[in-house]
């Protein structure tokens, strides 16, 4: 690496070889993809540290995987070669305060990229646009946890917390499903 590692290594799947590879970021905010033998396959300079871990999606539904993550200022999707997938990166309208959540509600690879940005939570499709019908109401304190999605029976539950300790349980439209206050 050009500088000491900043992030924990994350294993990602090579969709061609099916082997695990390692993605990590150094203190200079350079992201690396490293093969199982330790060879650096590519490196990419980012605008800041990645919040949370890098995740993988099949955005084109063709069994080829992309890397998805966010920094405080941008939402990224990179292809196998470390290239930006248009229209990403997207400049966030407010600073992200936690890692994004990646949701595939129906298992159809129709992904939602949900990003806590201060007291708001934004929801993007893989087309880079904010999802219509997302009705999250701003809260009183900054959201600080990665949004998580669970399905119980036939209902979706999205949960996260703010810095004041309030926990929110939402439906897939971003509306309160279970009031906890």
């Amino acid at each position: 690496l050009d500088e000491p590692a900043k992030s924990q290594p994350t294993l990602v799947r090579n969709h061609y070889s099916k082997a695990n590879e390692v993605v990590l970021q150094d203190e200079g905010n350079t992201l690396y993809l490293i093969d199982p033998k330790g060879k650096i396959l590519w490196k990419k300079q980012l605008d800041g540290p990645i919040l949370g871990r890098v995740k993988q999606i099949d955005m084109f539904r063709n069994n080829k995987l992309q890397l998805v993550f966010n920094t405080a200022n941008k939402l990224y999707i990179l292809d196998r070669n470390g290239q930006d997938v248009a229209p990403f990166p997207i400049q966030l309208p407010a600073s992200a305060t936690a890692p994004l959540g990646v949701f595939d509600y129906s298992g159809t690879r129709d992904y939602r990229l949900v990003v806590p940005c201060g007291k708001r939570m934004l929801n993007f499709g893989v087309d880079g646009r904010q999802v219509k019908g997302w009705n999250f109401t701003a809260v009183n304190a900054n959201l600080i946890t990665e949004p998580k999605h669970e399905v119980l029976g036939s209902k979706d539950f999205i949960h996260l917390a703010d810095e004041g300790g309030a926990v929110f349980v939402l439906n897939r439209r971003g509306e309160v499903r279970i009031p906890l206050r």
Side-chain angles (χ1 to χ4, degrees), residues 43-55:
K43 57 185 178 176
K44 180 174 186 69
Q45 185 64 45
L46 302 178
D47 70 298
I50 293 172
L51 302 180
R53 291 196 171 267
V54 173
K55 298 166 181 69

Side-chain angles (χ1 to χ4, degrees), residues 1-179:
L1 305 182
D2 295 337
E3 296 190 37
K6 173 184 261 178
S7 68
Q8 296 268 346
T10 300
L11 291 179
V12 294
R13 192 94 169 141
N14 178 321
H15 56 258
Y16 291 115
S17 69
K18 308 299 184 222
N20 286 327
E21 295 173 336
V22 174
V23 64
L24 64 89
Q25 189 177 30
D26 72 15
E27 290 181 358
N29 297 321
T30 300
L31 184 67
Y32 299 83
L33 182 67
I34 303 168
D35 76 8
K37 295 180 181 177
K39 177 182 175 192
I40 295 174
L41 300 174
W42 54 257
K43 57 185 178 176
K44 180 174 186 69
Q45 185 64 45
L46 302 178
D47 70 298
I50 293 172
L51 302 180
R53 291 196 171 267
V54 173
K55 298 166 181 69
Q56 287 186 287
I57 61 173
D58 181 2
M59 128 180 225
F60 299 110
R61 301 177 183 164
N62 61 1
N63 298 316
K64 294 181 179 176
L65 301 173
Q66 296 78 41
L67 305 176
V68 60
F69 55 90
N70 68 293
T71 63
N73 299 309
K74 293 184 180 180
L75 176 57
Y76 288 87
I77 297 181
L78 303 180
D79 69 13
R80 164 95 203 114
N81 299 312
Q83 300 299 310
D84 295 322
V85 177
F88 296 88
I90 292 175
Q91 181 74 36
L92 296 170
S95 291
T97 50
L100 81 150
V102 177
F103 306 154
D104 180 10
Y105 293 123
S106 305
T108 59
R109 296 179 280 187
D110 184 19
Y111 301 99
R112 297 292 180 252
L113 311 175
V114 182
V115 186
C117 291
K119 298 174 183 176
R120 298 174 40 208
M121 188 165 47
L122 306 177
N123 188 340
F124 295 90
V126 294
D127 61 1
R129 295 186 181 134
Q130 290 195 46
V131 173
K132 290 182 186 224
W134 179 251
N135 298 315
F136 184 79
T137 302
V139 295
N140 295 323
N142 286 338
L143 299 165
I144 59 166
T145 62
E146 177 182 328
K148 300 287 185 179
H149 173 250
E150 310 289 337
V151 178
L152 296 171
S154 62
K155 295 188 179 192
D156 294 289
F157 295 83
I158 298 169
H159 50 90
L160 73 160
D162 72 18
E163 63 190 352
V167 175
F168 303 92
V169 180
L170 313 170
N171 62 23
R172 71 166 61 182
R173 291 178 305 281
E175 301 161 337
V176 173
R177 180 173 289 284
I178 301 173

